[in-house]
């Protein structure tokens, strides 16, 4: 996958829209432009049918039903609707605590702080081990009957660590605690089949799964629908949970993207990613510098993710030196540019210096072996130049 001369290894920041997805979306920008909430004419009915079909395809990813899918503008909004929605509705109740893993995306962490600072909830951080997996015995100890909700992501956006959501779900069974899962990074990494039984709320993002940007979804298990307060009010669309006209072409795109990731070919794609990623990691480790892999290995990791630590270098300098030929990331795209060490890498035990020396490479659907080989050469060349410059400076 190249954008002009640039090798793109940043699929966890955003994926390109699959051409098959784009072609399904196209008619809804043109002749089928009706408002899906217009109930008086056929143009509206057709649009509503398209949205319904898209919701069914998204739902199928986790074996849910179409009416359990609420379209949002992305996973950030889905996370906000899940947690703030729960917190606002339950204000004044006896469940006063949220348990949130230490490695969550900022859109979960920031909302959790609002729940604490503005709504008076107690916020407990769930610790993770050195591979980024939530400590289940800490969760068991903390999961008392004053806990309203637990939020643990399915797949980490920085380290690629896959959390054991089924185990967390069974640990919470019978407690009355709501389980929210940010699964924005999950569809490309794992088969989410039957997650409808494991979690009550699940967030997805279109542009992390070869769908368009600006669309996401929150799965709301039918029996907890009334536990959420909406974040925006208006025409009462989407079962009163998210007012506003839904964007039909984007919904159709997200549905098409979900359909491509729900079938058997998705597992073959994950296997292909794994082989390419392993080749990339091996190639990097063979370079004559101290380069190591942060986070989990093998099956507990997103098959396209390689978070590598370059001892003695900074990610910022390496990425600068490979511009404009290679796109990768210093961490979550949302924190890039802010010169503070990644909270995820800190939570898995890295020092500020080690975190600053770490780069996330993420391989995707259109990445080729040639891309991977060329990326290794580019990094090798950059490290040589940086090492030479360093020698000169210290001479
Ligand atoms: N959660 C995770 C794990 C993510 O990786 C991202 C995207 N960086 C988000 C939430 C936010 O998604 P969106 O861009 O759709 O708001």
């Amino acid at each position: 996958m190249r954008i002009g001369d640039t090798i793109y290894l940043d699929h966890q920041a955003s994926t390109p829209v699959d051409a098959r997805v784009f072609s399904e979306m196209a008619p809804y920008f043109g002749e089928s432009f009706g408002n899906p909430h217009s109930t008086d004419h056929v143009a509206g009915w057709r649009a509503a049918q398209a949205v319904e079909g898209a919701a069914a395809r998204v739902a199928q990813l986790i074996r849910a039903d179409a009416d359990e899918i609420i379209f949002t503008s992305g996973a950030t909004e889905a996370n906000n609707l899940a947690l703030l929605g729960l917190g606002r509705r339950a204000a004044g109740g006896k469940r006063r605590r949220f348990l949130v893993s230490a490695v969550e995306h900022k859109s979960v962490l920031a909302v959790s702080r609002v729940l604490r600072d503005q709504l008076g909830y107690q916020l407990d951080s769930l610790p993770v081990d050195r591979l980024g997996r939530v400590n289940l015995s800490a969760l068991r100890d903390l999961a008392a009957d004053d806990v309203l909700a637990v939020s643990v992501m399915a797949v980490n956006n920085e380290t690629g660590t896959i959390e054991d959501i089924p185990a967390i779900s069974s640990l919470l069974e019978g407690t009355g605690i709501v389980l929210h899962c940010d699964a924005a990074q999950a569809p490309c990494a794992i088969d989410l089949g039957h997650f409808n039984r494991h979690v009550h709320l699940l967030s997805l993002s279109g542009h992390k799964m070869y769908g368009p940007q600006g669309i996401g979804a929150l799965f709301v298990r039918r029996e907890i629908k009334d536990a959420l307060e909406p974040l925006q009010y208006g025409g009462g669309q989407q079962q009163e949970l998210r007012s506003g006209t839904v964007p039909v072409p984007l919904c159709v795109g997200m549905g098409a993207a979900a359909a491509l990731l729900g079938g058997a070919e998705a597992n073959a794609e994950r296997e292909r990613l794994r082989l390419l990623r392993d080749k990339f990691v091996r190639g990097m480790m063979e370079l004559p510098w101290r380069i190591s892999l942060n986070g989990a290995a093998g099956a507990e990791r997103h098959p396209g993710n390689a978070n590598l630590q370059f001892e003695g270098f900074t990610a910022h300098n390496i990425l600068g030196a490979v511009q404009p030929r290679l796109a990768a990331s210093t961490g979550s795209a949302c924190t890039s540019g802010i010169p503070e060490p990644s909270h995820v890498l800190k939570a898995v035990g890295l020092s500020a210096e080690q975190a600053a020396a770490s780069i996330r490479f993420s391989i995707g659907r259109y990445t080729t072996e040639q891309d991977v080989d060329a990326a290794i050469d580019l990094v090798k060349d950059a490290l040589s130049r940086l090492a030479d410059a360093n020698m000169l400076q210290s001479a």
Side-chain angles (χ1 to χ4, degrees), residues 144-163:
D145 60 6
D146 61 344
V147 174
L148 178 58
V150 168
S151 184
V152 177
M153 69 206 317
V155 178
N156 191 271
N157 48 304
E158 294 192 44
T159 57
T161 302
I162 298 170
E163 300 291 346

Side-chain angles (χ1 to χ4, degrees), residues 74-76 79 105 107 153 155 157 182 184-185 205 207-208 334:
T76 297
N79 288 338
H105 186 262
S107 56
M153 69 206 317
V155 178
N157 48 304
D182 175 356
Q185 298 284 351
S205 171
H207 73 108
K208 312 282 188 194
C334 313

Side-chain angles (χ1 to χ4, degrees), residues 216-239:
L218 181 67
F219 157 69
V220 182
R221 210 201 272 177
R222 196 168 293 111
E223 70 245 32
I224 69 140
K225 187 181 156 265
D226 292 337
L228 291 189
E229 180 74 25
L231 301 186
Q232 57 199 53
Y233 303 90
Q237 288 94 342
Q238 301 203 74
Q239 305 166 60

Side-chain angles (χ1 to χ4, degrees), residues 245-285:
T245 305
V246 296
V248 184
L250 302 184
C251 296
V252 168
M254 182 144 180
L260 291 173
L261 282 165
E265 76 273 27
N267 279 330
E269 176 172 10
R270 291 178 195 119
E271 192 46 34
R272 193 191 77 86
L273 286 181
R274 190 184 318 283
L275 292 173
L276 260 188
R277 188 271 316 276
D278 289 349
K279 175 180 162 65
F280 177 72
V281 171
R282 266 197 317 275
M284 292 292 253
M285 301 259 216

